Amino acid sequence: MYTFVREREGDTIRFQRLTRTCRRTEPSSSATMGVETASAGGAAAVPAEACEAETLWTAEGHAVGAPPAPVREAAPEDGASAALSSPVLEFFAGATVMVTGATGFVGKALVEKLLRCCPDVRAVYILIRPKKGMDVESRHQELLQHPVFERLRAEQGPGVFGKVRPVAGDVSLPHLGLSEADRRRLQAEVNIVFHSAATVRFNEGLAAAVSLNTVGTQRVMRLCKEMLAIKSLVHVSTAYSNADKREVREVVYAPPADPEAVIKLVKSLPEDAMPGLASALMGKRHPNTYTLTKAMAEWIVQEEADDIPCAIVRPSIVTAALRDPVPGWVDNVCGITGIMMEIGRGTIRSIICEEDYIVDLIPVDLVVNTLITAAWRTGTHHANTVQVYNCTSGQLNPVHWHEFGRLTQNQAVETPTKYVQWYPGFSFRTNRAVHKFCEIFFHFLPAHVVDLLIRAQGGKPIMVKIAKRFKMAAKTGEFFSLHEWDFESSNMRALMKDMDCVTDRETFDVDVSHMEWKPYVADYMMGIRKYVLKDGAESLPAARRKLNRLWWAHRITQGVTLLALLRLAFLASSFLLDNVLCLSR
């Protein structure tokens, strides 16, 4: 097994091969500095020539021809002894981690998991930019007060947050906007990097998307090249970075255009030229600037990885937590979460979708576990290429749109929110004319009526605004509800196999095949109530009474509508009959 030390010589950084050992060594504390030592049992490092004469070893450290290693039980003791029994925990012990995008949905969950489940991690640097009049320190404190950290605070106390160290920076700025002192500190201290910062807005302008998703990734890669003790870099991409392919393998595909050329064009062309350039670049391969710029970012990662142990994790549609930090935790209304929320409120009656297609969802905590274990596997199982992990559910535990929709609607009736506007009920359809009719009469007409009532009571009308916002969100998401992909999962399966310690498999579970969709959707809908709508469980009795009244209103409205249609049909038939009789005379 080869081990390396990174050294700086002038302005260049090189790797030096030290030794190859005959035995699989038990990692020690010095492993965090990139040097492999003999195990506690006394296996000494020997020259490569001697080793090759005795035993051959695989890249994973197993003897060639030997039977697979059994799953190892973790030591029952707490603290350091327990950590030593876990390869993943040991990899992070004493390590300094850097996270970009720590204030995002995945970033928050990642920081929480590192602090709670990797107790010996030395520090977690988070890149934060000033935003909306708040400076870096204010945003740092606001982040630590987020509900995602409630469990961590209860279990370990506020002292654990001393490991979180904010660094003023912005991936959209040259050199990440870092001060010289911060840059040098990161270069000297950081061992593991998670690059999660990105704009996930599907309708983002090309210039902003390229700056944040593509150029930002390039800047992070170049900073990583300057890090003296880096062990692993994990880039967070998306499973839809190759949306034009029906079957998506775990490889980096060539982008639709040369990233460097696109970056130069974006910098040189005027703003009014961006829509045309975006259309030309997307063509029929990409539905939006998000998938386009993430595809180019993957190519940059592969081209600039050089000697950096690097991996790419591609989540599909990231959804509420399955287990960690608590079941159902979610903190945004993006994508399918917003659709589920409006289904629960009864404001959505029609959705453009191929209901028999698979909807590929992945809980945020499984994404986080994949990031952490991919970092470990990348840093300890050296590969010749950038390893790609399709973090998806379609192959391992598929659920179809019609089934997911049924579960969502059932749960909306079982645990309604006090903000319910009408009795839940909707349909998936592909007929756009029928959808347009439903949109006018079941979305916008009721929204205008409710806004009139709100205005009459002196309130601020919001329902039409919500209806327009949902229409725009649904339009940008139509591509994903009308297409289906088959995501390869070979590397994900290999990752599960390499986690041969029970503690690691339980603490950093990445296996979506065990998830049951019905209880998951129940937790998801309760999470939307609690964390998005701020509607606690104490309101459930009143909400159910309200829903019962809405059920009667819904049935009465259906009855009145049916009578009106019958009356209209009767009048129309009478009119036609009278005209026919007149003509016959």
Side-chain angles (χ1 to χ4, degrees):
M1 180 175 219
Y2 292 97
T3 57
F4 301 87
V5 167
R6 231 173 184 216
E7 296 181 343
R8 181 182 288 274
E9 291 183 352
D11 293 328
T12 63
I13 296 176
R14 68 185 179 86
F15 279 98
Q16 176 187 1
R17 193 182 82 186
L18 293 183
T19 61
R20 190 182 184 195
T21 55
C22 281
R23 300 183 187 179
R24 185 180 183 182
T25 60
E26 291 298 326
S28 66
S29 59
S30 62
T32 62
M33 300 304 294
V35 181
E36 189 176 67
T37 63
S39 69
V46 297
E49 294 78 11
C51 183
E52 289 166 355
E54 297 180 16
T55 308
L56 295 177
W57 298 85
T58 67
E60 290 78 13
H62 302 299
V64 173
V71 174
R72 293 184 293 157
E73 295 284 349
E77 296 82 9
D78 294 330
S81 60
L84 288 174
S85 68
S86 162
V88 175
L89 292 183
E90 184 188 341
F91 179 73
F92 282 90
T96 297
V97 179
M98 174 181 164
V99 179
T100 70
T103 58
F105 182 40
V106 173
K108 290 189 192 84
L110 174 60
V111 172
E112 191 275 342
K113 184 79 173 189
L114 287 170
L115 293 175
R116 181 166 52 83
C117 295
C118 300
D120 295 323
V121 68
R122 177 176 171 270
V124 179
Y125 284 107
I126 57 175
L127 196 70
I128 301 182
R129 62 187 172 100
K131 186 179 180 182
K132 296 180 180 178
M134 297 179 66
D135 60 17
V136 170
E137 183 55 31
S138 298
R139 293 196 69 202
H140 172 221
Q141 294 303 321
E142 181 185 55
L143 173 65
L144 298 185
Q145 296 305 314
H146 195 277
V148 71
F149 297 110
E150 288 177 353
R151 177 182 173 185
L152 174 64
R153 183 176 286 105
E155 292 179 356
Q156 300 186 28
V160 69
F161 296 112
K163 293 182 178 181
V164 182
R165 302 176 185 177
V167 176
D170 187 340
V171 296
S172 68
L173 297 178
H175 308 294
L176 299 176
L178 295 169
S179 68
E180 186 60 29
D182 284 340
R183 192 174 190 88
R184 290 189 178 277
R185 183 161 69 252
L186 295 176
Q187 290 170 355
E189 297 182 19
V190 172
N191 310 116
I192 303 164
V193 176
F194 295 98
H195 176 43
S196 177
T199 174
V200 296
R201 292 174 56 188
F202 289 168
N203 59 350
E204 188 73 81
L206 179 64
V210 168
S211 175
L212 291 165
N213 295 348
T214 308
V215 182
T217 299
Q218 188 179 60
R219 289 166 178 153
V220 171
M221 293 298 298
R222 290 176 179 176
L223 174 63
C224 290
K225 289 182 180 181
E226 300 168 357
M227 293 176 177
L228 299 178
I230 189 166
K231 298 192 297 182
S232 184
L233 162 65
V234 179
H235 169 69
V236 184
S237 185
T238 171
Y240 304 101
S241 57
N242 301 282
D244 60 311
K245 294 173 173 56
R246 175 65 175 78
E247 296 183 3
V248 182
R249 298 171 56 208
E250 290 175 307
V251 298
V252 177
Y253 292 93
D258 176 37
E260 289 291 350
V262 174
I263 292 169
K264 290 178 181 177
L265 282 172
V266 168
K267 289 180 178 179
S268 60
L269 292 177
E271 184 62 30
D272 58 5
M274 290 300 109
L277 178 60
S279 297
L281 291 171
M282 290 187 295
K284 295 182 178 180
R285 294 185 60 180
H286 288 275
N288 50 56
T289 58
Y290 171 68
T291 64
L292 169 70
T293 53
K294 294 297 274 186
M296 293 191 293
E298 285 190 8
W299 188 256
I300 283 177
V301 170
Q302 177 168 271
E303 290 296 294
E304 302 215 5
D306 293 336
D307 295 319
I308 301 173
C310 187
I312 295 173
V313 173
R314 292 178 180 152
S316 52
I317 301 172
V318 184
T319 52
L322 175 63
R323 284 182 291 270
D324 292 326
V326 290
W329 173 77
V330 65
D331 78 338
N332 64 80
V333 292
C334 297
I336 200 166
T337 299
I339 293 174
M340 294 172 69
M341 180 180 75
E342 295 305 327
I343 288 173
R345 296 177 69 241
T347 58
I348 290 180
R349 320 303 292 185
S350 177
I351 298 175
I352 290 287
C353 177
E354 285 282 2
E355 62 178 355
D356 292 328
Y357 280 177
I358 291 173
V359 50
D360 206 301
L361 311 176
I362 191 75
V364 64
D365 49 335
L366 297 192
V367 176
V368 165
N369 291 343
T370 302
L371 295 176
I372 292 173
T373 53
W376 157 74
R377 189 170 186 256
T378 301
T380 57
H381 300 61
H382 299 294
N384 295 326
T385 60
V386 173
Q387 295 293 292
V388 179
Y389 299 88
N390 285 339
C391 185
T392 58
S393 61
Q395 274 200 358
L396 301 173
N397 191 357
V399 63
H400 296 83
W401 280 103
H402 64 82
E403 175 67 8
F404 190 79
R406 182 185 65 80
L407 292 173
T408 300
Q409 183 168 315
N410 289 348
Q411 195 58 38
V413 173
E414 180 67 24
T415 55
T417 171
K418 66 182 180 182
Y419 299 111
V420 61
Q421 298 292 316
W422 198 250
Y423 193 81
F426 76 99
S427 298
F428 289 124
R429 53 176 49 89
T430 56
N431 188 308
R432 294 186 182 276
V434 175
H435 173 73
K436 187 66 176 178
F437 176 86
C438 294
E439 190 177 62
I440 293 171
F441 285 94
F442 298 141
H443 293 178
F444 282 96
L445 185 59
H448 280 286
V449 172
V450 173
D451 273 356
L452 285 174
L453 295 175
I454 294 175
R455 194 185 298 275
Q457 297 175 357
K460 184 179 179 180
I462 60 170
M463 293 307 299
V464 172
K465 183 178 179 181
I466 291 175
K468 289 180 177 178
R469 187 170 60 189
F470 170 73
K471 179 181 178 180
M472 182 178 295
K475 186 68 177 177
T476 58
E478 277 182 12
F479 180 87
F480 302 96
S481 62
L482 293 174
H483 292 80
E484 188 179 49
W485 293 265
D486 182 11
F487 298 108
E488 180 191 9
S489 58
S490 299
N491 286 343
M492 285 297 300
R493 295 174 194 271
L495 177 61
M496 297 177 205
K497 184 177 180 181
D498 285 342
M499 293 170 63
D500 60 357
C501 171
V502 171
T503 295
D504 286 344
R505 288 187 176 181
E506 293 178 350
T507 306
F508 305 104
D509 181 25
V510 299
D511 190 356
V512 72
S513 65
H514 303 309
M515 184 172 75
E516 296 182 20
W517 288 104
K518 183 176 180 179
Y520 173 69
V521 172
D523 288 337
Y524 199 162
M525 292 296 282
M526 287 300 291
I528 292 173
R529 289 180 92 262
K530 179 178 180 180
Y531 298 106
V532 177
L533 295 172
K534 311 300 181 185
D535 184 12
E538 67 279 359
S539 70
L540 266 175
R544 284 174 174 147
R545 290 193 296 270
K546 181 179 180 180
L547 188 69
N548 186 56
R549 294 193 297 269
L550 289 173
W551 183 87
W552 282 107
H554 180 60
R555 290 303 186 194
I556 291 171
T557 301
Q558 285 180 322
V560 170
T561 302
L562 179 61
L563 289 175
L565 290 173
L566 290 173
R567 176 64 175 168
L568 184 63
F570 174 76
L571 292 175
S573 61
S574 298
F575 177 77
L576 290 173
L577 182 61
D578 290 343
N579 279 278
V580 169
L581 291 175
C582 288
L583 290 173
S584 64
R585 290 172 189 163

